[in-house]
PDB file of all heavy atoms in Angstrom:
ATOM      1  N   ALA A 293       4.373  63.291   4.396  1.00  0.00           N
ATOM      2  CA  ALA A 293       4.552  62.098   3.549  1.00  0.00           C
ATOM      3  C   ALA A 293       5.142  60.962   4.376  1.00  0.00           C
ATOM      4  O   ALA A 293       6.035  61.170   5.193  1.00  0.00           O
ATOM      5  CB  ALA A 293       5.480  62.435   2.391  1.00  0.00           C
ATOM      6  N   PHE A 330     -25.042  34.709  -7.842  1.00  0.00           N
ATOM      7  CA  PHE A 330     -25.465  33.321  -8.056  1.00  0.00           C
ATOM      8  C   PHE A 330     -26.488  33.309  -9.197  1.00  0.00           C
ATOM      9  O   PHE A 330     -27.387  34.147  -9.249  1.00  0.00           O
ATOM     10  CB  PHE A 330     -26.144  32.735  -6.810  1.00  0.00           C
ATOM     11  CG  PHE A 330     -25.388  32.894  -5.511  1.00  0.00           C
ATOM     12  CD1 PHE A 330     -26.045  32.765  -4.289  1.00  0.00           C
ATOM     13  CD2 PHE A 330     -24.022  33.153  -5.495  1.00  0.00           C
ATOM     14  CE1 PHE A 330     -25.362  32.896  -3.087  1.00  0.00           C
ATOM     15  CE2 PHE A 330     -23.325  33.291  -4.290  1.00  0.00           C
ATOM     16  CZ  PHE A 330     -24.008  33.167  -3.088  1.00  0.00           C
ATOM     17  N   GLY A 535      -4.866  46.015  -3.667  1.00  0.00           N
ATOM     18  CA  GLY A 535      -5.468  46.550  -2.437  1.00  0.00           C
ATOM     19  C   GLY A 535      -6.588  47.556  -2.650  1.00  0.00           C
ATOM     20  O   GLY A 535      -7.138  48.076  -1.684  1.00  0.00           O
TER      21      GLY A 535
END
Side-chain angles (χ1 to χ4, degrees):
F330 309 161

